[in-house]
Amino acid sequence: MKRLLKGGRVIDPGNGIDGMHDVLIDGDRIVRVGRDIPVEGVTVVEVPDGYVVCPGLIDIHVHLREPGQEHKETVASGTASAVAGGFTAVACMPNTTPVNDNANVTAYILAKAAEAGLARVYPIGAVSRGSKGELLADIAELKAAGCVAITDDGHPTASALLLRRALEYAGMFGIPVIEHCEDQSLKGDGVAHEGFHAASLGLRGIPGACEALGVERGVLLAELTGSHFHVAHMSARASLRAVRKAKEAGIRVTCEVTPHHFTLTDESLLTPVAYDTNTKMNPPLREAADRDAILGGIVDGSVDLIATDHAPHHYDEKNVEFDRAPFGIVGLETAVPLSLDRLVHSGLIRLPRLVELMATNPARVLNLPGGTLSEGAPADITILAPDLKVRIVANALRSRSKNMPFDGWELRGSVAATMVGGRPVFVNPEASIRL
Amino acid sequence: MTPAAITALRHKDLLGIADLAADEISLVLDTAEAMKEIGSRPIKKVPALRGKTIVNLFFEPSTRTRTSFEIAEKRLSADTLNIAISSSSVVKGETLADTALNLEAMNPDMIVLRHSSSGACHLLARICRSAIINAGDGMHEHPTQALLDAFTIRERKKRLAGLKVAIVGDLLHSRVLRSNIHLLTKMGAEVWVCGPPTLIPTEIRRFGVRATSVVEEAVRDADVIMLLRIQLERMEGAFFPSLREYFNVFGMTEKRLELASPDVMIMHPGPMNRGVEIASEVADGPYSVILDQVHNGVAVRMAVLYLLAGGSEHEAAA
Ligand SMILES: [Zn+2]
């Protein structure tokens, strides 16, 4: 079946496209992007003026929690959340139970993803067996089973030596090592950014230097090995400085930032609700100077991409004392509204840069199909309604978990529809589009 | 400027001094004066809180604070219930939220909470209709301690504004410090804090205090010196090398005391480590008001309980 997305602003930074175009889809592939494509024999989808047609968004940092933590999230609920958030593909972290350190777990996740039939799922394997930081996981086997990167996320890779080996070894397969950058001795029992607000609330601090040390370590080892090192959820200005310098030196380093780190600061620990465990994540919400630096990196190109670090936790797990609560918040369904509102409508960046941050670059960094509207590419397409106002309602999220600090927020910009392989998998009932 | 006289607190709970305005602090201190008089009567009991149920929920052992609250509650004729839960049993047992819901089902009027987690009282306050009184939460606040400290200072000095108060010790882990900083700065005192840099919270100056690691600088001309407990396990965290070295560098000795104002008050929230943060000669010396603090604790807690129970709704206590 042929479908023509007619009208709307088509943005495909990878191909330098930004303008009023139509997109012709045949089955699961993109056939053409252009003007005046004949409408005979095709189903025409009218895209309203002001809407944006772009390559499907890709979130490369998602915790789907399956296998083993299905009370928090499943592959099915997580991918439902993803497509509702405009993501046509997600890469999922290996810290499941058991850890995704072998082909069986990878195959299990992929089978669940196929069963759900929503977003594409690209598993990320563990660096080490059980993510225990001792022996390398079977990386060739993981790669053959479909893993697109390796990481011991949740923690940093246990030692500089293991990280070096992982970089060297993964380099052989052309996959990056993704690192949760942190010096664990400096983190200690820390639960919040080490700054005025944590001091005032009596919360143990995690300084920005804790993350930056991990970044510096990885940068040096990326230089040593020549392999690709990717910094996960970067939050501190000192980390950004290290990444900038590394890039200038030609070292193969890329980095991601999350919507919560570019939106919030550690002031959220105090207000509107003091000690809200939905403001507890690792790395923590940083002080304004860090947040502003991260925004600067988004603007000047030092930041490669936006990823959510979608980290579902059950209500009961979060409804405890702040220092006992697990780190993390869900983010798949709020990423687009936050990015449009805080980055685009605030005037910091334009839409093509946002598409680059959320589609083009995520595909490039993990070497994934997608992230482009090139002829013959998979018809993974996100349609954005940049001016559609949304009110975030935690209980309305598709994710099985509702842990996030944006409940009740009103934002400008939303997802209109999401197509995976030419198939509509999400249509926003508030948007004026029918697929 | 004297704050306008008020007759009630503006909050249902007492979670921290940070939430109180200067006039509310004055109200508590004034009320405590009336309460102190009750403690000097042959029959130390008034019916102000008759029929009220107060739960003392303690997740950390604390003989001093718990006893002080209990005496205060009894002097006001409240029905009291003590629940002591060791933090270790909580790991396996029910959550704080469940404990709160269970207590709430029994409809107490007030819950006095001591807990090792900062913000535990905020969690309780969100769940419970009862008034929550923070009796110390983690490293956050210990509001009744700061109130009794202020009461003790005011009793001697007749004022708080303009006094130089030096607080010396483990600032980082101290809830007493945070409550005292809020209270003293709101009341116009000049607050100096002092300790090794490893034990000074980040951006402490944003609290409106002067910070130094030179103890002589902190105590020079001080009207009040408050010493904070040095926990022995801090050595393991490499905050300082040894208790002996701590005492040599920061310990309050008679010699250092000579730098202070001639009528200086020496305070300590207890329990003390003699020979660590304070020399015995100072603790037991003529400037020490450490036992007055304990004594005043009862009156101040009576005032807090009375005001949170509705204050002027009831017949006057005195
Ligand atoms: Zn992480």
Side-chain angles (χ1 to χ4, degrees), chain A residues 220-402:
Chain A
L220 290 167
L221 295 173
E223 184 178 29
L224 181 68
T225 59
S227 295
H228 177 185
F229 178 73
H230 179 76
V231 179
H233 43 55
M234 189 173 70
S235 64
R237 58 192 191 272
S239 304
L240 179 66
R241 191 170 65 212
V243 165
R244 275 192 184 127
K245 274 197 211 153
K247 286 185 168 186
E248 276 166 29
I251 300 166
R252 292 180 67 198
V253 174
T254 51
C255 67
E256 71 194 29
V257 300
T258 72
H260 51 270
H261 286 116
F262 70 62
T263 302
L264 301 173
T265 66
D266 59 349
E267 212 182 325
S268 298
L269 297 167
L270 181 68
T271 162
V273 179
Y275 300 99
D276 181 356
T277 55
N278 286 328
T279 63
K280 179 177 175 181
M281 57 284 280
N282 188 20
L285 297 174
R286 299 286 180 194
E287 60 196 54
D290 289 302
R291 196 266 317 267
D292 294 346
I294 294 297
L295 288 171
I298 289 172
V299 171
D300 74 10
S302 315
V303 168
D304 293 279
L305 63 102
I306 292 169
T308 64
D309 192 10
H310 179 84
H313 291 295
H314 192 271
Y315 174 80
D316 290 339
E317 295 167 313
K318 279 287 199 180
N319 189 28
V320 296
E321 299 88 322
F322 194 90
D323 54 4
R324 289 170 188 257
F327 291 102
I329 62 168
V330 293
L332 284 166
E333 291 165 74
T334 46
V336 163
L338 287 170
S339 300
L340 284 168
D341 192 284
R342 296 305 159 113
L343 302 178
V344 177
H345 294 310
S346 68
L348 286 174
I349 60 171
R350 292 168 187 275
L351 278 163
R353 171 67 178 147
L354 185 65
V355 175
E356 189 177 270
L357 287 162
M358 298 187 81
T360 322
N361 289 354
R364 274 185 191 156
V365 163
L366 291 192
N367 200 19
L368 305 175
T372 171
L373 298 177
S374 298
E375 189 184 322
D380 293 0
I381 293 171
T382 301
I383 303 175
L384 301 172
D387 295 309
L388 182 63
K389 293 203 170 86
V390 284
R391 187 183 155 80
I392 308 293
V393 178
N395 282 326
L397 296 179
R398 268 79 165 176
S399 170
R400 193 166 271 196
S401 294
K402 320 294 177 194

Side-chain angles (χ1 to χ4, degrees), chain A residues 194-204 273-277 287 316 319-324, chain B residues 87 90-91 96-97 115-120 122-123 126 137 139-140 173 178 201-203 206-207:
Chain A
E194 186 174 299
F196 174 71
H197 294 292
S200 168
L201 292 168
L203 296 173
R204 288 173 204 270
V273 179
Y275 300 99
D276 181 356
T277 55
E287 60 196 54
D316 290 339
N319 189 28
V320 296
E321 299 88 322
F322 194 90
D323 54 4
R324 289 170 188 257
Chain B
S87 296
V90 177
V91 178
L96 178 60
H115 198 286
S116 59
S117 293
S118 300
H122 294 71
L123 178 64
R126 281 201 289 274
D137 64 325
M139 305 167 5
H140 175 231
H173 301 94
R178 287 166 177 80
T202 326
E203 299 195 56
R206 275 179 68 184
F207 289 91

